[in-house]
Amino acid sequence: MSAPLFRPIATTLIRSVFLWATLCALAIGSIQAAYSYIHVQDRFELAVREIGQTNVPLLSVSIWDIEPEAIRRQLEVIAARPEIGYVSLTVTTGQTFSAGDKGLTNDRPRRFDIPPPGRPVGVIGNLEIFENPAAFYRELIYTLGIASLGYGVLTLLICILIAYLLKRDLERPLRRVAQFASELTPNRLTIPLELARSPGHGRDEIDLVVEGFSVLQSGINSHIANLDEQVAQRTAELESALAAIHRLSTIDPLTGCFNRRLFNERIQEELDRAIRYQRALAVIFCDIDHFKRINDTCGHLLGDQVLQEAAECFRRELRGHIDWVARYGGEEFVIVLPETSLPAAIATAERLRLALTESMVALLPGLTVTASFGVTQHVPGETVQELLQRADNQLYAAKAAGRNQTLPRL
């Protein structure tokens, strides 16, 4: 037995509404809309042309007298007009002035040549005025709105007709579908959706919804058997994705060190912990000496390898799970030493300095790579910013004193 012919309910409604609405409103509305559009467009273009012609003499004097501020004020006055969206002035000397919303530019500006003051011949600038489509359409909508009041009664009749048709052919069946969906629980998945339709109504979208519920119920029943396994798989995938996202947001991709963002968060935690338990906290600033020269003479690829080797050297020499290092920016690293006094931190920095130079020998034969270190220890009452600033000052002093050294000295 063949399936009933599909007849969309929207087509039935559109045909019914079209017979009533089109005959009454389409002809009048189309004529009125076309007339209003042309009338508003002509009036709008005339207003823009008058604005340009009125301001050309004033701009001519300002350009001739070389008064940029006066030019900008005049352009702002032009752009403030509701008909204008954006205005641009190009002087023959190459200067460009503009005002308004640049996003309103289009390929059909109104152009005006600006002659010298009192001279009909010659051009000292070009003025481009872009209309404001929003103002144009506001005026057009206002005009059409006034005209629409003339056939409001017709619109009301059409709305009543549409409401009747929707209530009869759409609202009642959909209410039954909504009621069925609201009552659908796990123990009712096997109960089919049944609708009382009038005989000979034809097969339409409502019937498709009923069939869709049937397919959905069958799919849910078959899916429940392995739902727990799928949930576990999705959870593992989500955790893996979150871990990858967290790593990308906290780890410097070149060196594998913590990045500046994580450093700014974690250093405050380290300081709070040191204050709470009255423990020492030291910070070391490190800067690779003459790194720009390395990039310029050996190439950026080798420069990246220098940074990677420096980070790896620091990780080898530091205490695992206690000390940590972050790439502060460019060739600069910052090393945090919890529970470390200033003398111990200075000794650590000096050890790092020597180890760094030795580890670079194999990477850059014939070229000595050194680094400067600035060390400081937190003192009571000092903020994170003050602690870092003192360490940075020590680093700056080490570089100023000839580089390849640690300050302060023991």
Side-chain angles (χ1 to χ4, degrees), residues 18-57:
F18 184 82
L19 292 175
W20 292 92
T22 303
L23 295 176
C24 299
L26 184 59
I28 298 175
S30 300
I31 295 173
Q32 181 64 43
Y35 173 78
S36 299
Y37 183 87
I38 295 173
H39 178 69
V40 172
Q41 188 177 45
D42 291 343
R43 190 169 56 191
F44 205 79
E45 290 179 356
L46 179 61
V48 173
R49 191 180 307 114
E50 290 179 352
I51 292 172
Q53 293 173 350
T54 301
N55 286 273
V56 162

Side-chain angles (χ1 to χ4, degrees), residues 154-301:
L154 177 62
T155 304
L156 179 61
L157 293 176
I158 295 175
C159 291
I160 293 175
L161 176 62
I162 293 175
Y164 168 74
L165 295 174
L166 290 176
K167 188 175 184 65
R168 185 192 68 183
D169 297 328
L170 194 62
E171 180 182 352
R172 291 172 185 171
L174 286 182
R175 281 184 180 273
R176 176 69 187 99
V177 172
Q179 180 183 2
F180 176 83
S182 64
E183 296 174 353
L184 192 62
T185 57
N187 58 346
R188 292 173 59 88
L189 288 176
T190 58
I191 300 177
L193 170 61
E194 297 179 352
L195 295 180
R197 308 292 299 276
S198 59
H201 72 277
R203 186 166 179 266
D204 53 31
E205 285 87 346
I206 302 298
D207 297 295
L208 293 180
V209 171
V210 175
E211 295 170 4
F213 267 103
S214 177
V215 174
L216 177 63
Q217 288 173 302
S218 300
I220 291 177
N221 286 326
S222 62
H223 187 67
I224 288 178
N226 60 352
L227 183 60
D228 292 340
E229 180 181 350
Q230 292 189 13
V231 170
Q233 179 182 354
R234 298 296 187 272
T235 302
E237 292 174 354
L238 179 59
E239 291 176 349
S240 176
L242 291 175
I245 292 174
H246 181 265
R247 178 174 178 82
L248 289 174
S249 65
T250 58
I251 301 299
D252 176 58
L254 177 64
T255 63
C257 301
F258 294 138
N259 59 18
R260 178 86 173 259
R261 174 185 175 186
L262 183 64
F263 170 78
N264 291 335
E265 297 175 359
R266 189 168 174 181
I267 186 62
Q268 185 64 55
E269 297 174 359
E270 291 285 2
L271 180 59
D272 294 341
R273 186 181 301 109
I275 295 174
R276 184 184 309 116
Y277 297 107
Q278 297 181 354
R279 303 288 179 83
L281 175 65
V283 173
I284 302 174
F285 265 55
C286 169
D287 186 89
I288 306 298
D289 295 332
H290 303 295
F291 185 73
K292 184 177 183 303
R293 183 189 303 169
I294 296 174
N295 273 335
D296 293 341
T297 57
C298 302
H300 289 276
L301 180 60

Side-chain angles (χ1 to χ4, degrees), residues 334-349:
V334 58
I335 301 160
V336 180
L337 306 176
E339 302 184 14
T340 304
S341 64
L342 181 60
I346 295 173
T348 299

